[in-house]
Amino acid sequence: MRLRFLLPLLASLLLGACAKSPEWAMNDVTGHLPDLEFNLLGAGNQPVTAADLRGKLVLMYFGYTHCPDICPLSMTHLHQALVKLGPAAEQVRIVFISLDPARDTPALLQAYARAFDPRAIGLTGPLKTVQKLAKRYRIGFSLGKPDQHGNYDVSHSSAVFVFDRDGRARLLATSADNVDAVVHDLTLLLEQSP
């Protein structure tokens, strides 16, 4: 009699153990990076926290609005991925965090982010807060020496951190990941957490 109850249980355990994890196109960082956590300023100098984005997939990118090449390219790349996602893109938010808070005001950041995608959010905060957040996610950056006009570059690492609806770090996109790879993995994440 017991065997009759144990066989279905054993079969379900074996099938569960054989279930394949998703075939990610990007780098799977589950369990290797901290969860989504920040407290910054958005449009209108209003506080924005990670809790405000619960229930959405978050694509977090660190950059600055005066960036001549990498940041615009990365933001365009993310926008193209959301366009390809179609209506499902409403469940995704791009979060652009400035590494140059001296020049990137909340209003400027929001205009910059929205110029790439209407779902994008531009955030900033005091330099010490930004430095602490960058360190949390292992983003290296340094402010260049200003020229005679006060202009300077910000050297920074370039990666997109992908968080699931519960704010867990799941994937890391690099410049090697094309738009189709981003779309593929976002689709899988959306299917995992309806």
Side-chain angles (χ1 to χ4, degrees):
M1 189 78 160
R2 276 191 197 156
L3 189 56
R4 226 173 31 176
F5 293 107
L6 288 176
L7 284 175
L9 176 62
L10 185 59
S12 68
L13 288 174
L14 287 172
L15 287 174
C18 294
K20 287 181 71 175
S21 61
E23 294 288 331
W24 301 113
M26 298 185 290
N27 299 302
D28 183 356
V29 296
T30 305
H32 298 288
L33 287 173
D35 292 345
L36 186 63
E37 187 179 308
F38 62 80
N39 188 348
L40 296 168
L41 296 175
N45 287 326
Q46 294 299 308
V48 178
T49 69
D52 296 324
L53 299 171
R54 245 357 120 159
K56 305 279 187 197
L57 297 187
V58 174
L59 311 177
M60 184 172 70
Y61 182 76
F62 290 83
Y64 68 115
T65 64
H66 290 75
C67 182
D69 45 23
I70 295 169
C71 297
L73 185 60
S74 296
M75 291 294 285
T76 299
H77 187 84
L78 294 177
H79 167 70
Q80 290 170 343
L82 294 191
V83 168
K84 280 191 160 194
L85 265 181
E90 291 306 317
Q91 301 172 59
V92 181
R93 291 295 175 268
I94 299 169
V95 174
F96 183 85
I97 298 176
S98 175
L99 296 170
D100 186 17
R103 293 185 292 185
D104 290 344
T105 65
L108 176 61
L109 271 169
Q110 192 57 31
Y112 180 85
R114 289 269 165 92
F116 290 98
D117 192 273
R119 293 160 289 247
I121 301 167
L123 299 175
T124 189
L127 182 57
K128 286 189 186 260
T129 301
V130 171
Q131 288 170 329
K132 185 177 176 184
L133 188 60
K135 185 176 181 180
R136 176 178 171 83
Y137 295 103
R138 303 174 190 158
I139 290 291
F141 78 100
S142 64
L143 304 176
K145 188 174 180 179
D147 64 17
Q148 66 269 22
H149 305 292
N151 297 317
Y152 56 89
D153 288 328
V154 178
S155 298
H156 63 92
S157 47
S158 178
V160 177
F161 300 84
V162 181
F163 298 88
D164 66 18
R165 294 176 198 264
D166 295 319
R168 292 178 303 223
R170 299 295 301 278
L171 301 164
L172 184 70
T174 68
S175 58
D177 296 308
N178 63 30
V179 170
D180 289 334
V182 175
V183 172
H184 174 270
D185 286 4
L186 291 180
T187 301
L188 286 178
L189 270 181
L190 286 167
E191 289 170 355
Q192 281 185 1
S193 52

